[in-house]
Amino acid sequence: DEYNERQEQEEEQEEEKRRKEKELEKLKSFAEEKAVRIEAYNENVLQSVPSGVIGIDNAVCIKSVNQAAGRILGIDAADAIGKRFDEVFRESLTVILNETDTVARMKCPYITNDRRHIWLGITTSQLINSAGEKIGLIFVFSDLTDIKALQAQVALKERLSQLGEMSAGISHELRNSMAVISGYAKLLSKKMDT
């Protein structure tokens, strides 16, 4: 009888073990699905941002490039991933890698791979993991080309306005001088007639 009792206990323990393994498998599956959903959501956020975002690791290899970065810089984002930053980008961007601190809203000219001359507003930030260790660098940038063009137009209009004011002043001075000369000429003309 003791043998049967022990066998029943072992069977119950075995059944309990199988139930817990199934429950554990369900929890694992749920956690994996949740991780995939969170990763997909984060990727959607990254790709939806209108600013360019590039992530590099400590070895200066590109780990992520969003669509806006590809569009702004004229690169194929998928081709850039895995390459060294300085293999893909020109010197004006690679010099930023030498900065020891983060860069806050630096403006720099850049020539894209498709030969467009653009202005970039760049901010960098260290990429830190949950343990507080630096694992890379994030570049966030926007295309300031249109803003720079508008600023140049405003500056040109201001210079033209100043030139117009100066021309009006010169014209006024010339008219005054000419009026005096004209007056003396009429006076001389009358004196010569008499």
Side-chain angles (χ1 to χ4, degrees):
D1 227 9
E2 196 174 300
Y3 174 77
N4 286 342
E5 220 174 272
R6 193 182 272 164
Q7 195 171 13
E8 281 180 24
Q9 279 181 340
E10 285 177 9
E11 286 175 6
E12 286 175 10
Q13 287 175 346
E14 214 33 60
E15 183 63 34
E16 181 69 22
K17 183 180 171 186
R18 281 191 292 272
R19 261 196 330 271
K20 286 188 178 186
E21 282 176 351
K22 273 187 178 180
E23 189 176 322
L24 191 59
E25 190 62 39
K26 282 181 186 177
L27 287 174
K28 179 183 172 196
S29 176
F30 176 75
E32 287 173 349
E33 288 174 16
K34 187 173 181 179
V36 167
R37 282 195 310 271
I38 289 171
E39 189 174 331
Y41 180 79
N42 288 341
E43 183 65 21
N44 288 337
V45 168
L46 179 66
Q47 294 302 329
S48 299
V49 173
S51 295
V53 180
I54 298 173
I56 62 173
D57 63 13
N58 286 332
V60 197
C61 286
I62 299 169
K63 293 297 180 184
S64 65
V65 178
N66 73 347
Q67 293 172 356
R71 180 179 37 76
I72 293 169
L73 299 175
I75 62 168
D76 183 347
D79 285 347
I81 293 174
K83 291 182 180 171
R84 286 185 47 84
F85 191 83
D86 53 5
E87 288 176 32
V88 178
F89 301 108
R90 300 192 194 316
E91 185 178 346
S92 57
L93 285 183
T94 59
V95 294
I96 297 172
L97 293 175
N98 299 329
E99 297 287 330
T100 53
D101 295 326
T102 58
V103 173
R105 207 60 180 162
M106 175 184 178
K107 295 176 184 168
C108 78
Y110 187 74
I111 301 172
T112 64
N113 289 353
D114 52 4
R115 296 289 182 227
R116 289 179 294 124
H117 291 258
I118 63 173
W119 278 89
L120 297 174
I122 302 170
T123 300
T124 65
S125 179
Q126 291 185 353
L127 184 58
I128 307 294
N129 67 11
S130 59
E133 303 163 331
K134 180 184 175 217
I135 58 170
L137 193 67
I138 298 289
F139 280 77
V140 180
F141 55 91
S142 9
D143 186 349
L144 302 178
T145 307
D146 292 340
I147 294 169
K148 281 288 196 180
L150 287 174
Q151 287 174 339
Q153 285 179 354
V154 167
L156 178 63
K157 285 180 182 179
E158 286 176 2
R159 286 194 304 275
L160 289 174
S161 173
Q162 291 169 350
L163 184 62
E165 288 174 18
M166 193 170 29
S167 297
I170 291 170
S171 174
H172 177 72
E173 293 301 319
L174 281 174
R175 273 196 306 270
N176 285 347
S177 299
M178 293 304 286
V180 170
I181 293 171
S182 176
Y184 279 123
K186 284 181 185 175
L187 219 108
L188 280 173
S189 173
K190 284 183 183 178
K191 281 191 175 193
M192 305 255 316
D193 287 343
T194 52

